[in-house]
Amino acid sequence: MTVYFVGAGPGDPDLITVKGRDLIARAGAILFAGSLVSETALRWAPANCRILDSKEMTLEEMSAWLVAQAQEHAVVVRLQTGDPSLYGALIELVQPLDTAGIAIQVVPGVSSAMASAAAAVESLTLPEVTQSVIFTRVEGRTPMPEGESLAELAGHHCTLCIFLSITLISRVVAALRQAGWNDTAPILVVHKASWPEQEKIVRGTVATIAALCRSEKIASQAMIIASPNLGARHWTSLAKSKLYDPCFTHRFRR
Ligand code: SAH
């Protein structure tokens, strides 16, 4: 009896890992995040598998169900959107299982941040532009710890992947401005990245992105990416990675 926390990936059922898919195929019970995980991810579940949507359950109900299923089945799966380590209430669900003495394992998944970059053919890091990525959100009902306000993080001028914030996009824009981002700085919003036939890519700037999202009626399941790298595919001059620069000497080349 093991409860596996499996990252289902960002939406496209083909973006689950082989390991995650194999666990689903062996599962006696699956608890899935109904509002987010595409039900097609369940296409590999065995016919007699007990399958429950956690959409309307409290955390207590979810952990009680997982504990009960683990007494009956060798493989129980908690299927989460993207990667389980990002905004997934992982620890809240693991603690009651630890208390009950039930073994758990986490199987990583493709985060929506990665799927959004892929959809738009963007690189989150680029030599001499930015080499860092911050995964964050704006403050909503969950307060931000000290030092992590978006305005403070945006002050690094690196790539920001902003989760859970599309309904607060005007707050995102205000924070970027406060941190000194120009009105012309490019912003990318990807709605339902990787979802077959539903993915939408919106490109704008600090000045235009909020209105563009409003007119495209994007109000949920969207990743906001602010980055000095955006659009680099079309740049004519690109700083090459130093490692391949002929003027750059290192250990193996002088
Ligand atoms: N663990 C998930 C994140 C869960 S929080 C992951 O790794 O992706 C939910 C937020 O993730 C949403 O508000 C949205 O910002 C983002 N998100 C989830 N799926 C998405 C998708 N297919 N496209 C764009 N953003 C998505």
Side-chain angles (χ1 to χ4, degrees), residues 3-26:
V3 175
Y4 295 88
F5 290 82
V6 176
D12 179 347
D14 283 347
L15 285 178
I16 194 169
T17 62
V18 173
K19 185 163 186 172
R21 186 183 65 187
D22 288 349
L23 284 165
I24 288 177
R26 285 167 47 210

Side-chain angles (χ1 to χ4, degrees), residues 126-129 228-241:
L126 209 59
E128 293 184 35
V129 184
N229 300 344
L230 290 176
R233 185 186 189 179
H234 305 295
W235 294 356
T236 47
S237 68
L238 204 57
K240 295 284 188 311
S241 168

